[in-house]
Amino acid sequence: MENELVKALEEYRDCTIELIKCLEKEDYDSLEDFLNKRQQILDEFSNSDYTKEEFSKVSEELELLVYHKKLSDLMIDKRDKVKQEINRLVQSKNANNMYNRNGYEAKVFSKKI
């Protein structure tokens, strides 16, 4: 039974490593597949009857927390970069709108011409 746990956690670790690689390569199309696969593995754990001690022991051996922390930090970093890019684009759009607004305001013509 512990062998099944090890195999499942190794698969979970491999999915986490693949997620890290996808984020580093900025291959965002593949992320959803690995996240779904990872979630399926977690769902299987919720239906299993492994003890916390067994789970903790195997997860420490496979260094799951290290990979999880690395993935979490990388996701936060990428999220912050995307937020900065969005803010930069919004500011650029606002500047363009203000610049163009001055050119399209109603012109008042004098009849004395």
Side-chain angles (χ1 to χ4, degrees):
M1 186 157 144
E2 189 172 313
N3 193 22
E4 293 174 13
L5 176 64
V6 171
K7 195 178 285 187
L9 286 177
E10 284 175 346
E11 188 176 352
Y12 180 83
R13 181 194 62 196
D14 293 342
C15 285
T16 304
I17 291 170
E18 288 300 319
L19 281 168
I20 291 169
K21 288 178 184 177
C22 288
L23 283 173
E24 288 173 344
K25 295 178 185 175
E26 296 184 3
D27 180 18
Y28 301 120
D29 296 331
S30 302
L31 287 178
E32 187 173 355
D33 295 334
F34 289 114
L35 285 172
N36 287 336
K37 187 175 181 182
R38 206 167 164 240
Q39 186 60 45
Q40 288 175 348
I41 295 169
L42 290 175
D43 291 342
E44 290 174 11
F45 283 131
S46 66
N47 298 331
S48 65
D49 52 346
Y50 299 114
T51 64
K52 284 186 176 183
E53 291 80 23
E54 289 174 324
F55 185 83
S56 296
K57 179 185 170 197
V58 175
S59 64
E60 282 180 24
E61 290 173 4
L62 297 174
E63 298 178 336
L64 291 181
L65 290 177
V66 173
Y67 291 113
H68 180 74
K69 173 91 170 103
K70 185 174 180 178
L71 176 64
S72 179
D73 291 344
L74 192 58
M75 289 178 81
I76 290 169
D77 183 47
K78 294 293 182 179
R79 182 197 67 199
D80 291 343
K81 285 181 182 178
V82 168
K83 278 184 177 182
Q84 288 175 353
E85 182 67 20
I86 289 172
N87 287 337
R88 188 186 63 76
L89 290 172
V90 167
Q91 289 175 351
S92 175
K93 181 180 176 185
N94 287 341
N96 285 336
N97 286 342
M98 294 301 286
Y99 177 76
N100 290 332
R101 184 182 304 165
N102 291 335
Y104 294 117
E105 287 182 357
K107 306 289 186 212
V108 178
F109 294 102
S110 174
K111 292 185 179 183
K112 293 183 179 181
I113 299 180

